[in-house]
Amino acid sequence: MRKIIVLTFVSLDGVMQAPGGPQEDTSGDFKYGGWSFSYFDDFMGSIMGEQMGRPFDLLLGRKTYDIFASFWPHQKDNPGAAPLNKATKYVVSTTLTNPTWDKTVVIKDHVVEELKKLKQTDGPDLQVHGSSNLIQTLLQNDLVDELWLKIFPVTLGKGKKLFAEGTIPAGFKLIDSKASPSGVIIANYKREGEIKIGSFA
């Protein structure tokens, strides 16, 4: 059985939109694209290398897929490109009909049922990068097994949230945590049961 692992750069106030550059995603008149750049150091590079150095396939929404597909196949000398190009790319889209990136599989209909079936197959874990709309579907249907978060010391005020309309009540367990010299908290959580409630009264 495969796990679905969400890898996300997120601000202190929960925004995940456009961490990588000003033009990455300007929808909703978002003006702070590239907000993670000044905090990215060798430590962060090592963390990303470790997390993406293990076998994985990709599970992506259409917007993130288009961004990745326009860039990574052309980065032959970039060591970060090889695992992404080698991975099978499962992209959830009702409109993508002729993908050009090698090893792309389009999931168009009955998305939740197809993802449940995919999790039951043999193969590497499925990493989700970006894909904020897809993440809401995954959260709403309790399909996220682990969250690998990089929490940056900024507040953005507006933008697409990691935990938005798809979030259901759920318990998670911290399985690893670190802090970078630039102040980024790296926190990995796994899904663990229901919320436990109590009282201090």
Side-chain angles (χ1 to χ4, degrees), residues 13-67:
D13 56 340
V15 175
M16 61 174 292
Q17 184 170 352
Q23 301 306 315
E24 187 175 26
D25 181 3
T26 59
S27 61
D29 198 29
F30 188 70
K31 299 184 181 346
Y32 300 105
W35 50 267
S36 74
F37 178 78
S38 63
Y39 297 95
F40 209 92
D41 52 21
D42 290 342
F43 182 91
M44 288 293 294
S46 176
I47 292 292
M48 293 302 297
E50 175 188 330
Q51 293 185 347
M52 299 184 70
R54 61 191 72 189
F56 67 88
D57 284 337
L58 289 170
L59 175 60
L60 304 171
R62 174 66 188 271
K63 183 183 287 289
T64 300
Y65 175 83
D66 285 346
I67 292 170

Side-chain angles (χ1 to χ4, degrees), residues 83-97:
L84 292 165
N85 290 322
K86 178 182 176 182
T88 299
K89 278 70 71 172
Y90 296 93
V91 55
V92 176
S93 174
T94 58
T95 57
L96 182 62
T97 57

Side-chain angles (χ1 to χ4, degrees), residues 99-198:
T100 58
W101 198 6
D102 288 345
K103 301 182 71 175
T104 293
V105 177
V106 179
I107 300 174
K108 182 176 182 180
D109 299 312
H110 310 293
V111 170
V112 173
E113 291 80 2
E114 290 301 315
L115 292 178
K116 288 179 178 178
K117 290 179 186 176
L118 181 59
K119 287 185 67 172
Q120 296 299 323
T121 62
D122 292 329
D125 291 335
L126 299 154
Q127 291 192 1
V128 182
H129 298 258
S131 309
S132 59
N133 291 335
L134 173 59
I135 288 173
Q136 302 314 306
T137 298
L138 297 174
L139 290 171
Q140 187 175 32
N141 291 279
D142 204 9
L143 291 172
V144 175
D145 296 288
E146 295 186 11
L147 296 161
W148 293 358
L149 306 182
K150 290 85 182 167
I151 305 165
F152 286 74
V154 295
T155 55
L156 298 170
K158 62 179 292 187
K160 295 177 181 176
K161 302 278 188 175
L162 171 59
F163 300 109
E165 67 276 4
T167 305
I168 61 170
F172 288 84
K173 178 181 180 180
L174 183 68
I175 55 176
D176 189 31
S177 63
K178 302 178 179 70
S180 78
S182 63
V184 180
I185 296 172
I186 295 92
N188 296 354
Y189 298 88
K190 72 174 182 179
R191 180 75 169 90
E192 189 175 78
E194 303 304 314
I195 293 176
K196 300 174 183 177
I197 61 173

